[in-house]
Amino acid sequence: MSRNPNGVFPHPLRFGYGTNGLADLRLDDALALLADLGYDGVGLTLDHMHLDPLAPDLAARTRRVAHRLDELGLGVTVETGARYVLDPRRKHGPSLLDPDPDDRARRVGLLLRAVRVAADLGAHAVHCFSGIVPDGTDEDTAWKRLAETLAPVLDAAATAGVPLAVEPEPGHLLATLADFHHLRRTLGDPEPLGLTLDIGHCQCLEPLPPADCVRDAAPWLRHVQIEDMRRGVHEHLPLGDGEIDFPPVLAALAATGYQGLTVVELPRHSHAGPHFAAHSLPLLHAAARTAATGAGTASVPAPPLGDPSATPEGSSTP
């Protein structure tokens, strides 16, 4: 049973926090922090500091992490959005859309490793994204590359019994829910293909409000990321700092029967990760109670853990 005080939802929502927002912590310390704060799970980004997918003895290291997750009672989603895990000079490179087939194969190889890790961890999904259309590549070619490169990953996901959850990402080839459906139809609607829905991205660029996006996406929903955001600006913000009205979003999510993790994604706030992890969960619980009961709740002050600096580090684009 979920530890979340979510009111009267038939299937209580399960909240997690992404390790890409805890990049300054050792993985074991990050997991212990999230368990102590009361999170139900973790969005585990495979990266050099957290279960490096390219370092030796991956299977043995994965078994140790699986044991630790079990000890702490944490669920997990495997995420593959590490910025420089494959190329130290090119953010999120190479991608599934690169002109060089060897480069595309490197990204496919990472996703295949992620599927194996997810199966060994008992993860409920593997997250991925398309990448940006390279200069000089037309969109028809980019869509063809995406379909071709995802085919072996979907085969592996089907064998492992772990869904592949593709995320619409602003600025990428696959940027919107409509783009996801285009990919789904192109591939023949394969059973392992699911959706990662980022609530902030819905606020940023979808034509419908985020709660309506949740309802429309329900049949394909395999993973959810959450943060605040403003219309037309792709900047991941702490809950309450943007424009999203969270209770209707959480009510819509609960109504779908979704039982995976809803993971806070604040990678640009990693310099104060413990603070924002502690700050986010009470706000999510309060919004979930409001969604379940319709009752108003008082604002929840930020706990005094790891006081953040005045401004987040890095640029505004996650």
Side-chain angles (χ1 to χ4, degrees):
M1 178 177 291
S2 172
R3 292 170 292 178
N4 291 344
N6 276 333
V8 296
F9 290 147
H11 300 288
L13 297 175
R14 301 171 63 233
F15 296 119
Y17 200 91
T19 60
N20 62 358
L22 296 169
D24 296 306
L25 276 65
R26 297 177 183 88
L27 179 56
D28 193 66
D29 291 339
L31 297 179
L33 170 71
L34 297 181
D36 287 346
L37 290 173
Y39 280 92
D40 297 290
V42 58
L44 174 56
T45 296
L46 303 183
D47 207 346
H48 65 89
M49 80 295 282
H50 292 154
L51 195 53
D52 188 341
L54 304 182
D57 302 320
L58 178 59
R61 290 183 289 114
T62 301
R63 285 194 295 271
R64 288 195 290 272
V65 173
H67 179 69
R68 187 61 173 148
L69 290 168
D70 186 60
E71 282 185 332
L72 295 171
L74 293 173
V76 61
T77 302
V78 170
E79 303 197 351
T80 61
R83 293 185 182 94
Y84 296 101
V85 68
L86 290 177
D87 187 332
R89 299 172 186 268
R90 186 160 55 121
K91 180 181 173 183
H92 296 317
S95 81
L96 298 172
L97 309 180
D98 276 22
D100 187 333
D102 290 338
D103 280 346
R104 297 199 298 273
R106 289 174 61 204
R107 177 61 62 173
V108 170
L110 175 66
L111 295 181
L112 292 174
R113 285 180 177 234
V115 169
R116 291 196 294 272
V117 168
D120 290 344
L121 293 179
H124 72 81
V126 175
H127 149 279
C128 71
F129 46 73
S130 69
I132 296 169
V133 178
D135 290 340
T137 299
D138 63 85
E139 283 205 358
D140 287 344
T141 299
W143 281 111
K144 181 179 178 182
R145 287 176 187 165
L146 182 60
E148 289 175 348
T149 52
L150 282 180
V153 184
L154 288 165
D155 288 344
T159 300
V162 180
L164 185 70
V166 179
E167 178 187 7
E169 181 78 25
H172 285 211
L173 173 69
L174 199 157
T176 65
L177 287 172
D179 293 332
F180 168 76
H181 291 303
H182 175 74
L183 175 66
R184 185 175 58 82
R185 290 189 295 269
T186 298
L187 291 170
D189 201 15
E191 193 277 334
L193 179 65
L195 174 71
T196 293
L197 188 69
D198 186 303
I199 301 302
H201 294 173
C202 296
Q203 177 68 25
C204 177
L205 52 70
E206 292 288 348
L208 295 175
D212 288 343
C213 291
V214 169
R215 285 184 280 268
D216 284 358
W220 302 277
L221 208 54
R222 302 293 180 266
H223 181 44
V224 175
Q225 297 171 341
I226 195 165
E227 69 283 319
D228 219 336
M229 205 167 285
R230 299 186 181 97
R231 184 71 179 167
V233 182
H234 185 202
E235 181 180 2
H236 289 227
L237 300 172
L239 306 183
D241 284 7
E243 299 171 343
I244 298 176
D245 185 11
F246 286 100
V249 173
L250 297 184
L253 190 59
T256 71
Y258 173 71
Q259 296 183 52
L261 292 172
T262 299
V263 173
V264 177
E265 190 185 25
L266 292 173
R268 293 290 179 180
H269 295 74
S270 192
H271 65 289
H275 166 85
F276 286 105
H279 177 64
S280 299
L281 189 58
L283 294 177
L284 287 170
H285 283 165
R289 286 193 298 271
T290 299
T293 66
T297 56
S299 61
V300 180
L305 289 179
D307 225 17
S309 59
T311 57
E313 292 180 351
S315 70
S316 63
T317 304

